[in-house]
Amino acid sequence: MKFFLPIFLLIGSVSFSQSADFLVLKKKGKTLRSYYAGSNIAFQTNSGAFIDAYINAIKNDTLYLQEFLIQQLPSRLGGYYIDTVGSYHYKFHYNQLASLGHKPQKGFDIRGSGASLMGGGVLLTLASVVVLIADPKKFSPALMAASAGLAGAGYLMSKRGGKPIDLGKKYQLIYMNMGAAKKSNELP
């Protein structure tokens, strides 16, 4: 009897389930990211609202979202703790999404700092060229190389940054329906 018990447990544990629908972000036919129920998504709608929420479900071309309202509160010991004050539920059709990604942050802006660094580097490089033409004895090749390097680093920093992904010609968001196919009324 002890021999048959594991066999009976394995036979009785067969279960069936249905796959959930999901969204796929593609660029030129290549999949960049997939969004499933249970993951987070940050996007801006066609009307301009920005939402960063948890995906509860994706059904019939609709995203069922839950956004949490989080607040930082002071503690008795002088520190802070994070508390979830409430949550909001939203429904959006996937065609209402205009862009994906986080909105620009308000603190340190790496793109703006890179543009400033590039402008300063170009200005110092031009000043070094003027010094080379006006008084070659005072010219410093190390200063010119360093300023050109700063301009290049600023250019790279300005190109790097959190730009949102605008949906349209280059990027497509595709709804994948994993439900059962509709049965036809035809006889075999």
Side-chain angles (χ1 to χ4, degrees), residues 74-178:
S75 69
R76 293 181 187 172
L77 301 174
Y80 289 96
Y81 66 95
I82 297 174
D83 188 23
T84 303
V85 179
S87 66
Y88 298 104
H89 294 274
Y90 299 106
K91 288 191 314 186
F92 286 100
H93 192 273
Y94 81 100
N95 286 334
Q96 291 178 319
L97 280 62
S99 64
L100 293 173
H102 294 283
K103 63 181 175 181
Q105 62 191 68
K106 295 182 180 178
F108 181 75
D109 185 15
I110 194 164
R111 295 183 72 204
S113 298
S116 298
L117 188 62
M118 182 176 66
V122 168
L123 186 64
L124 279 173
T125 305
L126 290 176
S128 293
V129 169
V130 168
V131 168
L132 176 65
I133 293 171
D135 192 5
K137 293 179 184 177
K138 292 184 180 180
F139 174 70
S140 172
L143 178 65
M144 185 173 181
S147 61
L150 287 177
Y155 175 76
L156 293 176
M157 284 175 61
S158 66
K159 287 297 178 184
R160 181 179 173 250
K163 291 191 288 185
I165 297 171
D166 294 325
L167 300 174
K169 294 180 182 177
K170 194 172 185 182
Y171 295 96
Q172 292 92 24
L173 192 63
I174 300 169
Y175 171 72
M176 303 298 287
N177 186 359
M178 300 305 290

Side-chain angles (χ1 to χ4, degrees), residues 16-70:
F16 299 96
S17 66
Q18 180 177 350
S19 301
D21 299 345
F22 62 98
L23 296 174
V24 177
L25 177 65
K26 289 192 174 192
K27 177 183 177 182
K28 297 180 183 177
K30 294 182 181 178
T31 300
L32 297 179
R33 180 142 190 225
S34 299
Y35 295 97
Y36 297 94
S39 63
N40 284 331
I41 187 169
F43 63 92
Q44 186 170 1
T45 63
N46 291 333
S47 62
F50 177 79
I51 295 184
D52 187 1
Y54 175 79
I55 302 173
N56 282 330
I58 302 174
K59 295 178 186 173
N60 300 329
D61 299 347
T62 304
L63 288 158
Y64 294 90
L65 305 171
Q66 184 175 11
E67 184 176 28
F68 294 99
L69 181 60
I70 298 173

